Amino acid sequence: LPGEVVVVDTRESKRNAPWGELLSTAARARGARGAVIDGLVRDVKKIVELGFPVIAAGIKPVDSRGRGMVIDYNVPVKCGGVRVSPGDLIVADFDGVLAVPASAVEEAVRRATDKVSRENSSRMELMQGAYLRDVYNKYGVL
């Protein structure tokens, strides 16, 4: 669905790469924002060219035909050791992936916004030559 992130539970299998260029193309065409796969992916150069964000445990050029099967979809899964349910907020970047339960999104966004504000203030003062200790004591973040 538009705006959603695909989260795939492979039970951390390394037998095959169930996600590749064609699934990325289909998901993107339907408005998905990205995919998080707790297993392997293939066709990485094509996925990058497509501009569709995919985070996975690794890369393998072997598709899933005869090596894996879809058991269910749009149900709670365990991805990277974390329970993820439909409707949860998924945030990902080069540092990692965060799954926020739907019931905690408002509080998580409030806390994250507050921390970013304190980090921005810390950065500004550090750029002006303030001492790290003083900035940390004032804002409580590094």
Side-chain angles (χ1 to χ4, degrees):
L1 293 173
E4 291 191 349
V5 173
V6 179
V7 178
V8 177
D9 175 4
T10 68
R11 297 186 181 164
E12 300 178 10
S13 172
K14 304 297 187 268
R15 288 187 65 197
N16 61 62
W19 192 270
E21 174 199 4
L22 296 179
L23 287 176
S24 294
T25 299
R28 182 173 180 249
R30 287 169 178 74
R33 301 284 308 267
V36 178
I37 317 298
D38 81 338
L40 307 175
V41 295
R42 62 186 185 282
D43 310 325
V44 175
K45 282 182 144 182
K46 291 289 190 179
I47 293 171
V48 170
E49 288 174 16
L50 186 62
F52 186 75
V54 175
I55 296 180
I59 301 168
K60 187 171 189 171
V62 178
D63 68 22
S64 57
R65 186 173 181 178
R67 298 175 192 90
M69 63 182 353
V70 175
I71 296 172
D72 211 342
Y73 59 92
N74 205 27
V75 297
V77 297
K78 191 173 184 184
C79 187
V82 176
R83 182 179 169 85
V84 180
S85 297
D88 289 354
L89 174 66
I90 306 298
V91 180
D93 65 14
F94 287 106
D95 291 329
V97 180
L98 176 68
V100 181
S103 62
V105 168
E106 188 176 318
E107 175 69 10
V109 169
R110 185 191 64 72
R111 286 184 181 199
T113 301
D114 174 64
K115 184 170 184 185
V116 166
S117 176
R118 290 183 288 123
E119 287 176 344
N120 289 340
S121 296
S122 294
R123 183 180 308 104
M124 291 295 293
E125 290 191 23
L126 290 169
M127 290 172 63
Q128 295 170 357
Y131 288 106
L132 191 56
R133 176 183 55 238
D134 297 335
V135 170
Y136 179 77
N137 287 338
K138 184 174 181 181
Y139 297 107
V141 293
L142 287 180

